[in-house]
Amino acid sequence: MPTSTAAWQALTAHYQATANIHMRELFAADPQRFDTMHETLHGLLFDYSKNRISEETLTLLCNLAEEIGLGSQMQAMKNGAKINTGENRAALHTALRLPENAEPVLVDGENILPKIHLELDRALAFAESIINGVHTGTTGKRITDFVHIGIGGSDLGPQVCVQSLKAYRKNVAVHFVSNADDAEIARTLAVLDPETTVFCIASKSFGTPETLLNAHAARNWYRDAGLPESGISRHFCAISSNVDTARNFGIPADRVFAMFDWVGGRYSVWSAIGLPVMVAVGETRFRELLRGAHAMDEHFFNTPFRRNIPVLMALLHVWYNNFHLSDGHTVVPYSHDMRRFPSWLNQLDMESCGKSRTAGGQPVAVSTGGIVFGEEGVNCQHAYFQLLHQGTRLIPCDFIVPMTTPHRVGHQHRFTVANAFAQAEALMRGKTQTEAEAELANQSEAECTALAPQKTFPGNRPSNSFLIDKISPFNLGMLLAAYEHKIFVQGTIWNINPFDQWGVEYGKMLAKTIEPELNLGHEPKHDSSTNGLIRFYRDCQER
Ligand code: F6P
């Protein structure tokens, strides 16, 4: 239990002694604060100086990581130990981005690297054959559209990459369909030509109902277009660890790309699940994405905690979540192309760390997880940032800011960057009553008295800034991997398993009971609320 460590006790006392220190004071006392509280890695700048910490806080947090045994857990993950205890599996997403000639990684005594690279090469070759027109539709036409059907981890990772890497896009349009709400598949199909479209059914289990509903809709649409059954193999492919079921769906073996049971859905974009990214940006760029993630892995596994970016990110989260009792965490990419990043992180963090039992099945000792949300900057400044600045809640913020964009529309990019920096500064500094009054010097005394309190900001609101030179595949790979490792470190400190997700299953199970009841004549037998909802649905159908 983290609470039984000496470091936890020391952090509790340290929190009480320092809780009221303002970051303004910390910056004023140490003009070199930025120098000692930022890290760089292959052009990525991680500035964590705008946090409510001192060198002593960092020492204590690193002590906590040591005492918990983080180092040996990191090695266990890297070496393929079955750290996903709930499912008795390894968690080897890091192996997916290892070079082929790396030291062997053994799972049940077998080196998995040859298999990984075989599947990767197969997927990349298929993607390239679509891009360069070698793989055509059944009527010989060039493929123009690729529709990726998947949900959760089988959707968000590839989606954030395809969208973020728009500047590198090749000639095939990539679409995503995830929702069971038929509006999404209907609207997607409405603009496509079956002769020039390839569908990819992506499901680790090949049993997720949302994905299978959309897959059947796509297959029916293909058939309804009068195209030959034999052409299915040219228009459908699958990614799954349940290869046999994918074949039973009608997809031939050479169009099924294997996932491995030792990679969790939300950690899987580095596997064949990355196929839409491969189709969108091609082999060279996808390999750069893998190289970026691998560079972050190398840093994570080989850097002392005090200088280790993902470890620091996680320790800061623990500091706020468990000592300052923060109310959530927001992530803000100052990039329109990266606007799906918060959704990706929302699943990665909340599905991984939303646990109230330890890995061993005991109730957890401390609050775990956190409410993770976000929106692209600058839009969020005109939405929920008011609450961050002047609300009563503490919500640390991650700013992700590319230093350049491929577009050169006026000075819009400079404006965007300036806003990111300004928000971080405003959150940190706040505005005192005296400063507010000085701003209102031209107003009457009555107006000044009334308005000054409204215009004060408490400040002391923490943030991290991640600056990258541009949204390149390599940088994106580094960023995604940094957050993956952050989640792992948090899970290790809280003593929970961040690689399973039993909580999602119960609702799925109940939906299976309710769906047939929506059509039945007899009275539903649930609580009065659920019965009322079912009856209202039936009435609407009848009307
Ligand atoms: O949402 C629950 C979940 O199990 C996720 O963890 C997973 O990423 C998603 O469903 C999709 O699962 P599959 O890839 O098996 O279709």
Side-chain angles (χ1 to χ4, degrees):
M1 289 290 179
T3 43
S4 53
T5 59
W8 196 277
Q9 307 307 320
L11 279 162
T12 307
H14 178 68
Y15 166 73
Q16 278 153 9
T18 60
N20 294 325
I21 298 177
H22 200 288
M23 276 189 275
R24 277 188 185 216
E25 296 168 46
L26 297 173
F27 273 96
D30 177 11
Q32 313 304 321
R33 187 172 167 86
F34 171 77
D35 296 342
T36 52
M37 291 191 185
H38 82 269
E39 293 296 331
T40 54
L41 182 69
H42 304 296
L44 164 81
L45 169 73
F46 169 52
D47 172 23
Y48 59 97
S49 59
K50 292 192 185 82
N51 278 292
R52 292 165 70 166
I53 53 170
S54 62
E55 200 52 48
E56 188 187 354
T57 323
L58 290 169
T59 305
L60 294 175
L61 287 167
C62 290
N63 290 350
L64 174 66
E66 292 288 356
E67 236 183 296
I68 289 286
L70 176 63
S72 56
Q73 277 299 100
M74 285 161 72
Q75 286 310 311
M77 176 170 78
K78 184 180 174 193
N79 296 333
K82 296 193 173 170
I83 58 167
N84 177 359
T85 44
E87 297 174 328
N88 193 29
R89 290 173 181 161
L92 273 171
H93 42 287
T94 51
L96 293 169
R97 44 236 193 183
L98 278 173
E100 198 166 3
N101 57 1
E103 288 286 301
V105 179
L106 303 181
V107 171
D108 295 327
E110 185 195 352
N111 179 15
I112 56 171
L113 290 186
K115 262 193 196 164
I116 289 174
H117 283 271
L118 182 74
E119 282 313 305
L120 176 65
D121 293 346
R122 283 185 64 223
L124 283 168
F126 183 51
E128 283 292 326
S129 72
I130 293 177
I131 293 168
N132 59 33
V134 169
H135 176 90
T136 58
T138 187
T139 56
K141 287 191 182 168
R142 196 178 178 114
I143 299 300
T144 54
D145 295 88
F146 183 92
V147 183
H148 183 84
I149 297 176
I151 196 165
S154 295
D155 167 66
L156 290 161
Q159 212 182 122
V160 74
C161 291
V162 168
Q163 208 172 62
S164 300
L165 300 177
K166 248 192 177 136
Y168 298 84
R169 222 178 59 188
K170 301 269 183 186
N171 52 357
V172 180
V174 175
H175 314 261
F176 290 88
V177 173
S178 55
N179 204 329
D181 175 356
D182 52 8
E184 193 175 25
I185 183 96
R187 292 209 181 105
T188 306
L189 296 178
V191 295
L192 298 178
D193 175 352
E195 289 182 63
T196 59
T197 301
V198 164
F199 293 93
C200 176
I201 319 300
S203 174
K204 184 178 173 189
S205 57
F206 221 85
T208 301
E210 293 87 340
T211 300
L212 294 180
L213 281 170
N214 283 321
H216 281 105
R219 201 174 56 184
N220 292 342
W221 177 80
Y222 171 85
R223 284 178 178 155
D224 291 349
L227 293 174
E229 197 64 21
S230 58
I232 290 254
S233 62
R234 303 201 69 77
H235 291 275
F236 282 81
C237 66
I239 309 160
S240 186
S241 62
N242 191 349
V243 175
D244 291 338
T245 315
R247 284 186 201 143
N248 292 341
F249 181 84
I251 299 171
D254 63 336
R255 288 284 174 264
V256 181
F257 302 96
M259 274 177 88
F260 308 102
D261 71 350
W262 40 255
V263 58
R266 52 192 177 274
Y267 300 86
S268 66
V269 65
W270 325 101
S271 70
I273 284 287
L275 185 59
V277 191
M278 302 174 200
V279 172
V281 301
E283 173 171 1
T284 308
R285 300 304 188 184
F286 190 80
R287 289 195 187 277
E288 283 168 20
L289 181 82
L290 294 180
R291 269 201 292 281
H294 177 61
M296 185 54 75
D297 297 340
E298 290 281 287
H299 166 82
F300 177 60
F301 290 127
N302 300 311
T303 309
F305 296 160
R306 177 62 189 84
R307 308 288 310 272
N308 192 313
I309 295 170
V311 172
L312 289 167
M313 289 163 70
L315 292 176
L316 287 167
H317 183 73
V318 169
W319 176 234
Y320 293 121
N321 187 62
N322 296 112
F323 296 92
H324 283 266
L325 307 183
S326 55
D327 298 293
H329 190 99
T330 186
V331 60
V332 183
Y334 272 72
S335 153
H336 181 61
D337 287 348
M338 285 185 77
R339 65 192 177 279
R340 288 296 276 168
F341 193 91
S343 304
W344 169 80
L345 184 62
N346 168 282
Q347 188 212 14
L348 181 75
D349 198 324
M350 293 175 79
E351 195 165 272
S352 297
C353 293
K355 311 281 163 69
S356 50
R357 294 274 165 172
T358 66
Q362 304 302 312
V364 291
V366 294
S367 141
T368 63
I371 298 161
V372 179
F373 65 101
E375 176 63 66
E376 66 187 283
V378 298
N379 297 12
C380 56
Q381 293 174 204
H382 301 269
Y384 64 85
F385 262 48
Q386 166 65 32
L387 185 143
L388 302 191
H389 285 293
Q390 287 190 307
T392 53
R393 299 177 183 281
L394 180 67
I395 301 180
C397 182
D398 283 357
F399 293 97
I400 300 175
V401 196
M403 296 292 96
T404 57
T405 76
H407 316 285
R408 292 176 194 279
V409 183
H411 65 278
Q412 286 189 212
H413 182 64
R414 203 174 61 214
F415 172 89
T416 307
V417 173
N419 269 273
F421 294 174
Q423 290 299 316
E425 187 178 16
L427 285 167
M428 183 276 284
R429 282 180 56 79
K431 193 189 285 176
T432 63
Q433 172 97 3
T434 316
E435 286 168 341
E437 282 167 2
E439 271 180 20
L440 295 164
N442 294 336
Q443 316 252 7
S444 72
E445 199 180 328
E447 280 169 336
C448 183
T449 310
L451 264 185
Q454 308 293 342
K455 290 190 155 234
T456 61
F457 288 61
N460 216 14
R461 309 239 153 148
S463 69
N464 296 314
S465 292
F466 299 83
L467 311 188
I468 46 178
D469 60 350
K470 59 181 175 182
I471 311 171
S472 65
F474 186 92
N475 287 339
L476 185 66
M478 278 204 296
L479 265 179
L480 298 181
Y483 277 96
E484 286 180 347
H485 293 317
K486 173 193 187 224
I487 304 307
F488 166 72
V489 175
Q490 288 170 192
T492 304
I493 289 184
W494 292 324
N495 191 20
I496 56 172
N497 176 6
F499 298 111
D500 61 10
Q501 60 286 317
W502 299 108
V504 196
E505 303 303 325
Y506 186 42
K508 288 188 194 172
M509 209 178 84
L510 290 185
K512 278 192 191 148
T513 315
I514 291 177
E515 199 198 331
E517 288 176 350
L518 294 175
N519 285 325
L520 291 177
H522 65 68
E523 274 302 285
K525 289 198 182 71
H526 299 266
D527 56 89
S528 62
S529 163
T530 311
N531 289 344
L533 302 176
I534 292 174
R535 277 192 220 107
F536 188 81
Y537 171 86
R538 287 179 181 171
D539 289 350
C540 288
Q541 299 307 307
E542 276 170 26
R543 278 203 298 275

